[in-house]
Amino acid sequence: MNIEKELAARSGSKCEMCAAEANLNVYEVSPETSAKPDNCILLCETCNQQIDNPEIADANHWRCLNDSMWSQVPAVQVMAWRMLNRLNKEDWTHDLLDMMYLDEDGLTWAKAAGDGRAPEDITVHKDCNGVILLSGDTVTLTKDLVIKGATFAGKRGTSVRNITLVHDNPEQIEGRVNGQIIVILTKFVKKTV
């Protein structure tokens, strides 16, 4: 059974955030990068667009979080927590956050996207051109790199797929080059669009 069918069975073929029944798609809840049902939710087009573009989020649409925050699915709980934090200018979101419970793993997962933290506490990774990098992005090396402890060099122009961010250092990412996971300085990579 593919992921979309599993999620449709789990959710009753409804958006797991607002219960809409049309235009449903699988959404991977970052920073998880493996497309497994436990890491994904089924979203309608409206929820998907507003999650990916917080500046267009309609607070009234998200009143549905009053129901979805009680889901037994950790990925749904994580996304509900994130959206409540993104809409923190609304009084009603504070009440829901006070009632909501996430276990320690769920809270760590929810906070991994930067929601619920002060802007100065968020680690932002940027490439050599100042473009923000996210886990799972593909980057290209902008210079030949000598790799300590390896028998090869990272050649300029090498594509590094599915990067991982080093959460406590905004100047470092991890990626696989020649089959080996290495730490790369962000000033030597360019995000591939």
Side-chain angles (χ1 to χ4, degrees), residues 9-188:
R10 177 177 84 190
S11 68
S13 295
K14 294 180 179 178
C15 174
E16 293 186 270
M17 299 308 287
C18 73
E21 297 178 3
N23 300 322
L24 302 176
N25 293 299
V26 175
Y27 184 89
E28 289 181 31
V29 181
S30 64
E32 303 297 335
T33 56
S34 57
K36 297 187 299 189
D38 291 345
N39 301 337
C40 299
I41 58 178
L42 197 61
L43 287 182
C44 67
E45 190 174 330
T46 303
C47 287
N48 195 335
Q49 288 178 350
Q50 292 188 30
I51 287 171
D52 287 343
N53 303 295
E55 65 278 0
I56 64 166
D58 175 15
N60 286 325
H61 171 78
W62 290 103
R63 289 191 178 267
C64 60
L65 295 172
N66 191 38
D67 296 324
S68 57
M69 69 183 239
W70 300 110
S71 172
Q72 296 300 307
V73 178
V76 176
Q77 295 173 352
V78 164
M79 190 51 63
W81 187 91
R82 288 179 182 175
M83 288 310 299
L84 287 169
N85 275 283
R86 289 177 191 175
L87 298 167
N88 66 4
K89 292 180 181 161
E90 304 293 323
D91 291 334
W92 58 269
T93 61
H94 298 283
D95 296 336
L96 294 182
L97 275 169
D98 287 343
M99 290 187 288
M100 189 172 186
Y101 171 78
L102 285 176
D103 62 22
E104 190 174 321
D105 291 338
L107 191 57
T108 300
W109 182 10
K111 287 183 175 181
D115 296 297
R117 290 187 278 174
E120 62 274 6
D121 294 338
I122 298 172
T123 302
V124 178
H125 294 72
K126 295 182 180 180
D127 73 359
C128 64
N129 295 323
V131 177
I132 295 176
L133 299 171
L134 302 172
S135 282
D137 281 347
T138 299
V139 297
T140 303
L141 299 181
T142 58
K143 125 177 210 179
D144 290 344
L145 301 176
V146 176
I147 300 167
K148 293 180 183 176
T151 57
F152 62 90
K155 297 290 183 191
R156 180 178 181 209
T158 300
S159 183
V160 182
R161 293 187 173 97
N162 200 22
I163 64 167
T164 305
L165 306 178
V166 176
H167 289 291
D168 58 348
N169 189 339
E171 297 177 2
Q172 296 179 345
I173 60 170
E174 292 180 350
R176 190 174 297 275
V177 175
N178 289 349
Q180 185 175 343
I181 296 177
I182 62 170
V183 174
I184 307 167
L185 295 178
T186 56
K187 65 183 177 182
F188 299 132

